[in-house]
Amino acid sequence: MNRFSSIVKKIREIYNEPEGFIPLHAPIFLGNEKKYLGECIDSTFVSSVGKFVNIFEEEIANYTKSKSAVVCVNGTNALHLALKLAGVEEGDEVITQALTFISTANAISYCNAKPVFIDVDNDTLGMSPNALAQFLEKNVEIRSTGCYNIISQRRIKCCVPMHTFGHPCRIDEIIEVCNRYNIEVVEDAAESLGSYYKGKHTGTFGSIGVLSFNGNKIITTGGGGMLLFKDKTLAEKAKHLTTQAKILHAWEFIHDDIGYNYRMPNLNAALGLAQFEIIDKLLFSKRSVAEIYYSFFKTEGINFIQEPENAKSNYWLNAILLNSKDDRDQFLKITNEAGVMTRPVWRLMNELQMFSDCITDDLNNSKYIQDRLVNIPSSAIINE
Ligand SMILES: *Cc1c(COP(=O)(O)O)cnc(C)c1O
């Protein structure tokens, strides 16, 4: 017996798994997955041309109330393309949060731009609009060609807030700040399909939003991503760039730009469409699991991360805050050794060697969270 054994016991009870391994987040397939995949194979349309790709785009656009949605092979590539479309160029700076998954910062690097890491809010775990405003007030000036960092002399073209673990950040305030400085906003909504801020779906506030359908996300296509647009023309440009910038012609190969092979194959979209059909069940179950955790951790005196004010979260990954880094390390050891998968939050981006020379603010909240937060098993539970 140890001080975390009641938690291990509770998690085993929730997942009705007295002894076996409990993963952090497992996908659930219980609808038309096999049927649609079979249809793909029978039709021979397994690559990027096929009906499921287009239907999946339409469904996600409707669901999120986006003007247009464009599929991608994964969320990281979708972010890369979003930054390109937002006008990020070599030598620019792109502001994001230090507390994020590596994809956000990598996508910035793919554009040969430099990330700038800003702190998060303690309640949302997403970019802090106050920290952002303070950073910009101190460090930038507006010129005719855009917003410039007066110290590095780089142009700040874009800002990429992220909705951590599906909890919406203060995206309206972030956009208001960015508008004042002429900075584009690309939302990394990779983790937040099914999450809303003030009644509006995450990923639809900025000029472009990005979703991921990786195997561990709320619904999966195996691997996949999606770009969400307010602007139809920009969406058409995105689709063009994801398909090698090939001009439509019955037989000629003419390309009018350096494009990418980024369009999601039909096989993945078939899986995604079947998954999308059960999203309400998944979201309902995830909320129930979060409610059980909330009540339990309340009696344990442990801080369970709840959806922020004005937000409805998909509760993609549940998280708790422990008292200290030592506590966190002990918790990780005990739970993982007991076959209950738990994970610390990502190492802050600026602490990784590739990004160690990037500009940051004080990152006080990010550091606090890094030392104390752990994710606990969060899979949906659906009994047929
Ligand atoms: C999952 C994720 C992505 C994209 O990941 P892919 O695996 O490339 O689909 C991007 N940003 C964040 C924050 C993520 O969690």
Side-chain angles (χ1 to χ4, degrees), residues 56 70-75 78 210-213 221 223-227 264:
F56 189 47
V70 174
V71 286
C72 245
V73 282
N74 59 55
V210 169
L211 303 174
S212 166
F213 307 108
T221 59
M226 187 91 77
L227 291 146
M264 179 190 284

Side-chain angles (χ1 to χ4, degrees), residues 78-79 82-83 86 158-162 184-188 206-210:
L79 272 171
L83 293 170
C158 187
C159 174
V160 190
M162 197 276 279
E184 292 278 334
V185 175
V186 166
E187 271 177 273
D188 185 345
S207 46
I208 309 173
V210 169

Side-chain angles (χ1 to χ4, degrees), residues 186-254:
V186 166
E187 271 177 273
D188 185 345
E191 305 181 351
S192 64
L193 179 63
S195 298
Y196 296 81
Y197 185 71
K198 296 186 176 169
K200 202 165 134 74
H201 197 281
T202 52
T204 64
F205 289 81
S207 46
I208 309 173
V210 169
L211 303 174
S212 166
F213 307 108
N214 191 32
N216 62 350
K217 295 298 197 308
I218 193 131
I219 66 168
T220 185
T221 59
M226 187 91 77
L227 291 146
L228 305 177
F229 293 96
K230 302 177 137 75
D231 181 302
K232 267 232 147 66
T233 318
L234 202 57
E236 277 159 19
K237 192 169 170 198
K239 185 175 173 188
H240 185 60
L241 287 174
T242 60
T243 50
Q244 306 279 30
K246 184 178 182 296
I247 291 172
L248 211 61
H249 191 281
W251 53 81
E252 288 280 7
F253 287 100
I254 300 168

Side-chain angles (χ1 to χ4, degrees), residues 36-37 39-53 265-268 270:
Y36 293 169
L37 285 169
E39 277 179 41
C40 273
I41 292 165
D42 291 341
S43 73
T44 78
F45 284 91
V46 293
S47 274
S48 296
V49 176
K51 69 170 188 182
F52 290 112
V53 186
N266 206 33
L267 277 173
N268 300 84

